[in-house]
Coordinates of all heavy atoms in Angstrom, one line a residue:
M1 N 65.7 246.0 30.7 CA 65.6 244.7 30.1 C 66.9 243.9 30.2 O 68.0 244.5 29.9 CB 65.2 244.8 28.6 CG 64.2 243.8 28.2 SD 63.6 244.2 26.6 CE 64.7 243.3 25.5
T2 N 66.9 242.8 30.7 CA 68.1 242.0 30.8 C 68.4 241.2 29.6 O 67.4 240.6 29.0 CB 68.1 241.1 32.1 OG1 66.8 240.5 32.1 CG2 68.4 241.8 33.3
Q3 N 69.6 241.2 29.2 CA 70.0 240.4 28.0 C 70.1 239.0 28.4 O 70.9 238.6 29.2 CB 71.3 241.0 27.5 CG 71.9 240.3 26.3 CD 71.2 240.9 25.0 OE1 70.7 242.0 25.0 NE2 71.0 240.1 24.0
K4 N 69.3 238.2 27.8 CA 69.3 236.8 28.0 C 70.4 236.1 27.2 O 70.6 236.4 26.0 CB 68.0 236.1 27.7 CG 67.5 235.1 28.8 CD 66.2 234.6 28.5 CE 66.2 233.5 27.4 NZ 64.9 233.0 27.1
E5 N 71.2 235.3 27.8 CA 72.2 234.6 27.1 C 71.6 233.6 26.1 O 70.8 232.8 26.6 CB 73.2 234.0 28.0 CG 74.5 233.6 27.4 CD 75.5 233.0 28.3 OE1 75.1 232.4 29.3 OE2 76.7 233.2 28.1
N6 N 72.0 233.6 24.9 CA 71.5 232.6 24.0 C 72.6 231.6 23.7 O 73.7 231.9 23.2 CB 71.1 233.3 22.7 CG 69.8 234.1 22.9 OD1 68.8 233.5 23.0 ND2 70.0 235.4 22.9
L7 N 72.3 230.4 24.0 CA 73.2 229.3 23.8 C 72.9 228.5 22.5 O 71.8 228.2 22.3 CB 73.2 228.3 25.0 CG 73.6 229.0 26.4 CD1 73.5 227.9 27.5 CD2 74.9 229.6 26.3
C8 N 74.0 228.2 21.8 CA 73.8 227.4 20.6 C 73.3 226.0 21.0 O 74.0 225.4 21.8 CB 75.1 227.4 19.8 SG 75.0 226.3 18.4
P9 N 72.2 225.5 20.4 CA 71.8 224.2 20.7 C 72.7 223.1 20.2 O 72.5 221.9 20.5 CB 70.4 224.1 20.1 CG 70.4 225.2 19.0 CD 71.4 226.2 19.4
H10 N 73.6 223.4 19.3 CA 74.4 222.5 18.7 C 75.8 222.3 19.4 O 76.4 221.2 19.3 CB 74.7 222.8 17.2 CG 73.4 222.9 16.4 ND1 72.8 221.8 15.9 CD2 72.6 223.9 16.1 CE1 71.7 222.1 15.3 NE2 71.5 223.4 15.4
C11 N 76.3 223.3 20.0 CA 77.5 223.2 20.7 C 77.5 223.7 22.2 O 78.4 223.5 22.9 CB 78.6 223.9 19.9 SG 78.4 225.7 19.8
G12 N 76.4 224.4 22.5 CA 76.3 224.8 23.9 C 77.0 226.1 24.2 O 77.0 226.5 25.4
K13 N 77.7 226.7 23.3 CA 78.4 227.9 23.5 C 77.5 229.1 23.4 O 76.4 229.1 22.7 CB 79.5 228.1 22.5 CG 80.5 227.0 22.5 CD 81.7 227.3 23.3 CE 82.8 226.2 23.1 NZ 83.7 226.1 24.2
A14 N 77.8 230.2 24.1 CA 77.1 231.4 23.9 C 77.2 232.0 22.5 O 78.3 232.0 22.0 CB 77.6 232.5 24.9
M15 N 76.1 232.4 22.0 CA 76.1 232.9 20.6 C 76.3 234.4 20.7 O 76.0 235.1 21.6 CB 74.8 232.6 19.9 CG 74.6 231.1 19.8 SD 73.4 230.7 18.5 CE 71.9 231.2 19.3
E16 N 76.9 235.0 19.6 CA 77.2 236.4 19.5 C 76.0 237.1 18.9 O 75.4 236.7 18.0 CB 78.4 236.6 18.5 CG 79.7 236.4 19.1 CD 80.8 236.6 18.1 OE1 80.6 237.2 17.0 OE2 81.9 236.1 18.3
A17 N 75.9 238.4 19.4 CA 74.9 239.2 18.8 C 75.4 239.6 17.4 O 76.6 239.8 17.2 CB 74.7 240.5 19.6
W18 N 74.5 239.6 16.5 CA 74.9 239.9 15.1 C 73.8 240.7 14.4 O 72.6 240.4 14.5 CB 75.1 238.6 14.4 CG 75.3 238.7 12.9 CD1 76.2 239.4 12.3 CD2 74.5 238.0 11.9 NE1 76.1 239.3 10.9 CE2 75.0 238.4 10.6 CE3 73.4 237.2 11.9 CZ2 74.5 238.0 9.4 CZ3 72.9 236.7 10.7 CH2 73.5 237.1 9.5
D19 N 74.2 241.8 13.8 CA 73.3 242.7 13.1 C 73.5 242.3 11.6 O 74.5 242.6 11.0 CB 73.6 244.1 13.4 CG 72.7 245.1 12.6 OD1 71.8 244.6 11.9 OD2 72.8 246.3 12.8
P20 N 72.5 241.7 11.0 CA 72.6 241.3 9.6 C 72.6 242.4 8.6 O 73.0 242.2 7.5 CB 71.4 240.3 9.4 CG 70.5 240.7 10.4 CD 71.2 241.3 11.6
G21 N 72.2 243.6 9.1 CA 72.2 244.7 8.1 C 70.9 244.8 7.4 O 70.2 243.8 7.2
P22 N 70.5 246.0 6.9 CA 69.2 246.2 6.3 C 69.0 245.4 5.0 O 67.9 245.0 4.6 CB 69.1 247.7 6.1 CG 70.5 248.2 6.2 CD 71.3 247.2 7.1
E23 N 70.1 245.2 4.3 CA 70.0 244.5 3.0 C 69.7 243.0 3.1 O 69.3 242.4 2.1 CB 71.4 244.7 2.2 CG 72.5 243.9 2.7 CD 73.3 244.7 3.8 OE1 72.8 245.7 4.3 OE2 74.3 244.2 4.2
S24 N 69.8 242.5 4.3 CA 69.5 241.1 4.5 C 68.0 240.8 4.5 O 67.5 239.7 4.3 CB 70.1 240.6 5.8 OG 69.4 241.1 6.9
G25 N 67.2 241.9 4.7 CA 65.8 241.7 4.8 C 65.3 241.2 6.2 O 64.1 240.9 6.4
W26 N 66.2 241.0 7.1 CA 65.9 240.6 8.4 C 65.8 241.8 9.4 O 66.6 242.7 9.3 CB 66.9 239.6 9.0 CG 66.8 238.3 8.4 CD1 65.7 237.6 8.1 CD2 67.9 237.4 8.1 NE1 66.0 236.4 7.6 CE2 67.3 236.2 7.6 CE3 69.3 237.5 8.2 CZ2 68.1 235.2 7.2 CZ3 70.0 236.5 7.8 CH2 69.5 235.3 7.3
D27 N 64.8 241.8 10.2 CA 64.7 242.9 11.2 C 65.5 242.6 12.4 O 65.4 241.6 13.0 CB 63.2 243.0 11.6 CG 62.3 243.4 10.4 OD1 62.8 244.1 9.5 OD2 61.1 243.0 10.4
G28 N 66.2 243.6 12.8 CA 66.8 243.7 14.1 C 67.9 242.7 14.4 O 68.5 242.1 13.4
E29 N 68.2 242.6 15.6 CA 69.4 241.8 16.0 C 69.2 240.3 16.0 O 68.1 239.9 16.4 CB 69.8 242.3 17.4 CG 71.2 241.8 17.8 CD 71.6 242.4 19.1 OE1 71.0 242.1 20.1 OE2 72.6 243.2 19.1
M30 N 70.2 239.6 15.6 CA 70.2 238.2 15.7 C 71.3 237.7 16.5 O 72.2 238.4 16.8 CB 70.4 237.6 14.2 CG 69.6 238.4 13.2 SD 68.0 237.7 13.0 CE 68.5 236.5 11.7
F31 N 71.2 236.4 16.8 CA 72.4 235.8 17.5 C 72.9 234.7 16.6 O 72.2 234.0 16.0 CB 71.9 235.2 18.9 CG 71.7 236.3 19.9 CD1 70.4 236.8 20.0 CD2 72.7 236.7 20.7 CE1 70.2 237.8 20.9 CE2 72.4 237.7 21.6 CZ 71.2 238.3 21.7
I32 N 74.2 234.6 16.6 CA 74.8 233.7 15.7 C 75.9 232.9 16.4 O 76.6 233.5 17.3 CB 75.4 234.4 14.4 CG1 75.9 233.3 13.4 CG2 76.5 235.4 14.8 CD1 75.9 233.9 12.0
C33 N 76.1 231.6 16.1 CA 77.1 230.8 16.7 C 78.4 231.0 15.9 O 78.4 230.7 14.7 CB 76.7 229.3 16.7 SG 78.0 228.3 17.4
S34 N 79.4 231.6 16.5 CA 80.6 231.8 15.7 C 81.7 230.8 16.1 O 82.9 231.1 15.9 CB 81.1 233.3 16.0 OG 81.3 233.5 17.3
N35 N 81.3 229.8 16.8 CA 82.2 228.8 17.2 C 82.6 227.9 16.0 O 81.8 227.2 15.4 CB 81.6 227.9 18.3 CG 82.4 226.7 18.7 OD1 83.6 226.7 18.4 ND2 81.8 225.8 19.4
N36 N 83.9 228.0 15.6 CA 84.4 227.2 14.5 C 84.5 225.7 14.7 O 84.7 225.0 13.8 CB 85.7 227.8 14.0 CG 85.6 229.1 13.4 OD1 84.6 229.4 12.8 ND2 86.6 229.9 13.5
A37 N 84.3 225.3 16.0 CA 84.2 223.9 16.3 C 82.8 223.4 16.5 O 82.6 222.2 16.8 CB 85.1 223.7 17.6
C38 N 81.8 224.3 16.2 CA 80.4 223.9 16.4 C 80.1 222.8 15.4 O 80.5 222.9 14.2 CB 79.6 225.1 16.1 SG 77.8 224.7 16.2
S39 N 79.4 221.7 15.8 CA 79.1 220.6 15.0 C 78.3 221.0 13.8 O 78.4 220.5 12.7 CB 78.4 219.5 15.8 OG 77.2 220.0 16.3
Y40 N 77.4 222.0 14.0 CA 76.6 222.5 12.9 C 77.4 223.1 11.8 O 77.2 222.8 10.6 CB 75.7 223.6 13.5 CG 74.5 223.9 12.6 CD1 73.3 223.2 12.6 CD2 74.5 225.1 11.8 CE1 72.2 223.6 11.9 CE2 73.5 225.4 11.0 CZ 72.3 224.7 11.1 OH 71.3 225.1 10.3
F41 N 78.4 223.9 12.2 CA 79.3 224.5 11.2 C 80.2 223.5 10.6 O 80.4 223.4 9.3 CB 80.1 225.6 11.9 CG 81.1 226.3 11.1 CD1 80.7 227.1 10.1 CD2 82.5 226.1 11.4 CE1 81.7 227.8 9.3 CE2 83.4 226.7 10.6 CZ 83.0 227.6 9.6
V42 N 80.8 222.7 11.4 CA 81.8 221.7 10.9 C 81.2 220.7 10.0 O 81.7 220.4 8.9 CB 82.5 221.0 12.1 CG1 83.4 219.8 11.6 CG2 83.3 222.0 12.9
N43 N 80.1 220.1 10.4 CA 79.4 219.1 9.6 C 78.9 219.7 8.3 O 79.0 219.1 7.2 CB 78.3 218.4 10.3 CG 78.8 217.6 11.5 OD1 80.0 217.2 11.5 ND2 78.0 217.4 12.5
G44 N 78.3 220.9 8.4 CA 77.8 221.5 7.2 C 78.9 221.8 6.2 O 78.7 221.6 5.0
R45 N 80.0 222.3 6.7 CA 81.1 222.7 5.8 C 81.7 221.5 5.2 O 82.0 221.5 4.0 CB 82.1 223.4 6.7 CG 83.2 224.0 5.8 CD 84.2 224.8 6.7 NE 85.1 225.5 5.8 CZ 86.1 226.1 6.3 NH1 86.4 226.2 7.5 NH2 86.9 226.8 5.4
K46 N 81.8 220.5 5.9 CA 82.4 219.2 5.4 C 81.6 218.6 4.3 O 82.0 218.3 3.2 CB 82.6 218.2 6.5 CG 83.4 217.0 6.2 CD 83.6 216.1 7.4 CE 84.5 214.9 7.0 NZ 83.9 214.1 6.0
K47 N 80.3 218.6 4.6 CA 79.3 218.1 3.6 C 79.4 218.9 2.3 O 79.5 218.3 1.2 CB 77.9 218.1 4.2 CG 76.8 217.5 3.4 CD 75.6 217.4 4.2 CE 74.5 216.7 3.5 NZ 73.9 217.4 2.4
I48 N 79.3 220.2 2.4 CA 79.4 221.0 1.2 C 80.7 220.9 0.5 O 80.7 220.8 -0.7 CB 79.1 222.5 1.6 CG1 77.6 222.6 2.1 CG2 79.2 223.4 0.4 CD1 77.3 223.8 2.9
A49 N 81.8 220.9 1.2 CA 83.1 220.8 0.6 C 83.2 219.4 -0.1 O 83.8 219.4 -1.2 CB 84.2 220.9 1.7
D50 N 82.7 218.4 0.5 CA 82.8 217.1 -0.2 C 82.0 217.0 -1.4 O 82.4 216.5 -2.4 CB 82.3 216.0 0.8 CG 83.3 215.7 1.9 OD1 84.5 216.2 1.8 OD2 83.0 215.0 2.9
E51 N 80.8 217.5 -1.3 CA 79.9 217.4 -2.5 C 80.1 218.4 -3.6 O 79.9 218.1 -4.7 CB 78.4 217.6 -1.9 CG 78.0 216.4 -1.1 CD 76.6 216.5 -0.5 OE1 76.0 217.6 -0.7 OE2 76.2 215.7 0.3
N52 N 80.5 219.6 -3.2 CA 80.6 220.7 -4.2 C 82.0 221.3 -4.4 O 82.1 222.1 -5.2 CB 79.6 221.8 -3.8 CG 78.2 221.3 -3.7 OD1 77.7 220.8 -4.6 ND2 77.6 221.5 -2.5
K53 N 82.9 220.8 -3.6 CA 84.3 221.3 -3.7 C 84.4 222.8 -3.6 O 85.1 223.5 -4.3 CB 84.9 220.9 -5.0 CG 84.8 219.4 -5.3 CD 85.7 218.6 -4.4 CE 85.5 217.1 -4.6 NZ 85.6 216.3 -3.4
V54 N 83.6 223.4 -2.7 CA 83.6 224.8 -2.5 C 83.8 225.1 -1.0 O 83.4 224.3 -0.2 CB 82.4 225.6 -3.0 CG1 82.4 225.6 -4.5 CG2 81.1 225.0 -2.4
N55 N 84.4 226.2 -0.7 CA 84.7 226.5 0.7 C 83.5 227.4 1.2 O 83.5 228.6 1.2 CB 85.9 227.4 0.8 CG 86.5 227.4 2.2 OD1 86.0 226.7 3.1 ND2 87.4 228.4 2.4
F56 N 82.5 226.6 1.7 CA 81.2 227.2 2.0 C 80.6 226.5 3.2 O 80.8 225.3 3.3 CB 80.3 227.1 0.7 CG 79.0 227.7 0.8 CD1 78.8 229.0 0.7 CD2 77.9 226.8 1.1 CE1 77.5 229.5 0.8 CE2 76.6 227.3 1.2 CZ 76.4 228.7 1.0
A57 N 79.9 227.2 4.0 CA 79.4 226.6 5.2 C 78.2 227.3 5.7 O 77.7 228.3 5.1 CB 80.5 226.5 6.3
Y58 N 77.6 226.7 6.7 CA 76.5 227.3 7.4 C 76.8 227.5 8.9 O 77.5 226.7 9.5 CB 75.2 226.4 7.3 CG 74.7 226.2 6.0 CD1 74.9 225.1 5.2 CD2 73.9 227.2 5.4 CE1 74.4 224.9 4.0 CE2 73.4 227.1 4.1 CZ 73.7 225.9 3.4 OH 73.2 225.8 2.2
R59 N 76.3 228.6 9.4 CA 76.3 228.8 10.8 C 74.9 228.8 11.3 O 74.0 229.2 10.6 CB 77.0 230.1 11.2 CG 78.5 230.0 10.9 CD 79.2 231.3 11.4 NE 80.6 231.4 11.0 CZ 81.6 230.7 11.6 NH1 81.3 229.9 12.6 NH2 82.8 230.8 11.2
Y60 N 74.8 228.5 12.6 CA 73.5 228.5 13.2 C 73.2 229.9 13.7 O 74.0 230.5 14.4 CB 73.4 227.5 14.4 CG 72.0 227.4 15.0 CD1 71.0 226.8 14.4 CD2 71.8 228.1 16.2 CE1 69.7 226.8 15.0 CE2 70.6 228.1 16.8 CZ 69.5 227.5 16.2 OH 68.3 227.5 16.8
F61 N 72.0 230.4 13.4 CA 71.6 231.7 14.0 C 70.2 231.5 14.6 O 69.4 230.6 14.4 CB 71.5 232.8 12.9 CG 70.3 232.7 12.0 CD1 69.2 233.4 12.4 CD2 70.3 232.0 10.9 CE1 68.0 233.4 11.6 CE2 69.1 232.0 10.1 CZ 68.0 232.7 10.5
Y62 N 70.0 232.5 15.5 CA 68.7 232.5 16.2 C 68.2 233.9 16.2 O 68.9 234.9 16.4 CB 69.0 232.1 17.7 CG 67.7 232.3 18.6 CD1 66.6 231.4 18.4 CD2 67.7 233.2 19.6 CE1 65.5 231.6 19.2 CE2 66.6 233.4 20.4 CZ 65.5 232.6 20.2 OH 64.4 232.7 21.0
N63 N 66.9 234.0 15.8 CA 66.2 235.3 15.7 C 65.3 235.4 16.9 O 64.2 234.8 17.0 CB 65.4 235.3 14.4 CG 64.7 236.6 14.2 OD1 64.4 237.4 15.2 ND2 64.3 236.9 13.0
P64 N 65.7 236.2 17.9 CA 64.9 236.3 19.2 C 63.6 237.0 18.9 O 62.6 236.7 19.6 CB 65.8 237.2 20.1 CG 66.8 237.9 19.2 CD 66.9 237.1 18.0
A65 N 63.5 237.9 17.9 CA 62.2 238.5 17.7 C 61.1 237.5 17.2 O 60.0 237.7 17.5 CB 62.4 239.6 16.7
K66 N 61.6 236.5 16.4 CA 60.7 235.6 15.9 C 60.7 234.2 16.6 O 60.0 233.3 16.3 CB 60.9 235.4 14.4 CG 60.6 236.6 13.6 CD 60.7 236.4 12.1 CE 60.2 237.6 11.4 NZ 60.7 237.7 10.0
N67 N 61.7 234.1 17.6 CA 61.9 232.9 18.3 C 62.1 231.7 17.4 O 61.5 230.7 17.4 CB 60.7 232.6 19.3 CG 61.1 231.5 20.2 OD1 62.2 231.2 20.5 ND2 60.0 230.7 20.7
K68 N 63.0 232.0 16.4 CA 63.2 231.0 15.4 C 64.7 230.9 15.0 O 65.4 231.9 15.0 CB 62.5 231.6 14.1 CG 62.0 230.5 13.2 CD 61.2 231.2 12.1 CE 61.6 230.6 10.7 NZ 61.0 231.4 9.6
G69 N 65.2 229.7 14.8 CA 66.6 229.5 14.5 C 66.7 229.0 13.1 O 65.7 228.5 12.5
G70 N 67.9 229.0 12.6 CA 68.1 228.4 11.2 C 69.5 228.5 10.8 O 70.4 228.8 11.6
A71 N 69.7 228.3 9.5 CA 71.1 228.3 9.0 C 71.3 229.6 8.2 O 70.4 230.1 7.5 CB 71.2 227.1 8.0
V72 N 72.5 230.1 8.3 CA 72.9 231.3 7.5 C 74.2 230.9 6.8 O 75.0 230.2 7.3 CB 73.0 232.6 8.4 CG1 74.2 232.5 9.3 CG2 73.1 233.8 7.5
A73 N 74.2 231.3 5.6 CA 75.4 230.9 4.8 C 76.6 231.7 5.2 O 76.6 232.9 5.5 CB 75.1 231.3 3.3
A74 N 77.7 231.0 5.2 CA 79.0 231.6 5.5 C 79.9 231.2 4.3 O 80.4 230.1 4.2 CB 79.6 231.1 6.8
W75 N 80.1 232.1 3.4 CA 80.9 231.9 2.3 C 82.3 232.3 2.7 O 82.6 233.4 3.1 CB 80.5 232.8 1.1 CG 81.3 232.5 -0.1 CD1 82.3 233.3 -0.5 CD2 81.1 231.5 -1.1 NE1 82.8 232.8 -1.7 CE2 82.1 231.7 -2.0 CE3 80.2 230.4 -1.2 CZ2 82.2 230.8 -3.1 CZ3 80.3 229.6 -2.3 CH2 81.3 229.8 -3.2
C76 N 83.2 231.4 2.6 CA 84.5 231.6 3.2 C 85.4 232.3 2.2 O 86.0 231.8 1.3 CB 85.1 230.3 3.6 SG 84.0 229.3 4.7
G77 N 85.5 233.6 2.3 CA 86.3 234.4 1.5 C 85.7 235.0 0.3 O 86.3 235.8 -0.4
G78 N 84.4 234.6 0.0 CA 83.7 235.1 -1.1 C 83.0 236.5 -0.9 O 82.8 236.9 0.2
D79 N 82.7 237.1 -2.0 CA 82.1 238.5 -1.9 C 80.6 238.4 -1.5 O 80.1 239.4 -1.1 CB 82.2 239.2 -3.2 CG 83.7 239.7 -3.4 OD1 84.4 239.9 -2.4 OD2 84.1 239.7 -4.6
L80 N 80.0 237.3 -1.7 CA 78.6 237.2 -1.5 C 78.2 237.0 0.0 O 77.1 237.0 0.3 CB 78.0 236.0 -2.3 CG 78.1 236.2 -3.8 CD1 77.6 234.9 -4.5 CD2 77.3 237.3 -4.3
S81 N 79.2 236.8 0.8 CA 79.0 236.4 2.2 C 78.3 237.6 3.0 O 78.7 238.7 2.9 CB 80.2 236.1 2.9 OG 80.0 235.7 4.2
L82 N 77.3 237.2 3.7 CA 76.8 238.1 4.7 C 77.6 238.1 5.9 O 77.5 239.0 6.8 CB 75.4 237.7 5.1 CG 74.3 237.8 4.1 CD1 73.0 237.1 4.5 CD2 74.0 239.3 3.8
L83 N 78.5 237.1 6.0 CA 79.3 236.9 7.2 C 80.8 237.0 6.8 O 81.6 236.3 7.3 CB 79.0 235.6 7.8 CG 77.7 235.4 8.3 CD1 77.5 233.9 8.8 CD2 77.4 236.3 9.5
K84 N 81.1 237.9 5.9 CA 82.4 238.0 5.4 C 83.4 238.2 6.6 O 83.2 239.0 7.5 CB 82.5 239.2 4.5 CG 83.6 239.2 3.5 CD 83.5 240.3 2.5 CE 84.7 240.3 1.6 NZ 84.6 241.5 0.8
G85 N 84.4 237.4 6.5 CA 85.5 237.5 7.6 C 85.2 236.6 8.8 O 86.0 236.5 9.6
R86 N 84.0 236.0 8.8 CA 83.7 235.2 10.0 C 84.1 233.7 9.7 O 84.1 232.9 10.7 CB 82.2 235.3 10.3 CG 81.9 236.6 11.1 CD 80.4 236.6 11.4 NE 80.1 237.8 12.2 CZ 80.0 237.8 13.5 NH1 80.2 236.7 14.2 NH2 79.8 238.9 14.2
C87 N 84.2 233.4 8.5 CA 84.6 232.0 8.2 C 86.1 231.8 8.5 O 86.8 232.8 8.6 CB 84.3 231.7 6.8 SG 84.3 229.9 6.5
V88 N 86.5 230.6 8.7 CA 87.9 230.3 9.0 C 88.7 230.6 7.8 O 88.4 230.3 6.6 CB 88.1 228.8 9.3 CG1 89.5 228.6 9.7 CG2 87.1 228.4 10.3
Ligands
ZN101 ZN1 77.2 226.2 17.8

């Protein structure tokens, strides 16, 4: 099976394979855009920071098993993050 490259529809960069872990409730491997310059990430973070004054953002992820993409929370430095350490 060849690994198909998954490109982020928001910035066009290759997304990283990401295992969300069993506690997330998601099955199997996902792809996530870890580009800190991605418009999805930057705009989401700015909006949340402006409205809520918290350092919180979303990253775009894609679930190949379900052929479905969406937003995953990236809490910047907080303990609740599924993506701890991935935020700026
Ligand atoms: Zn992106």
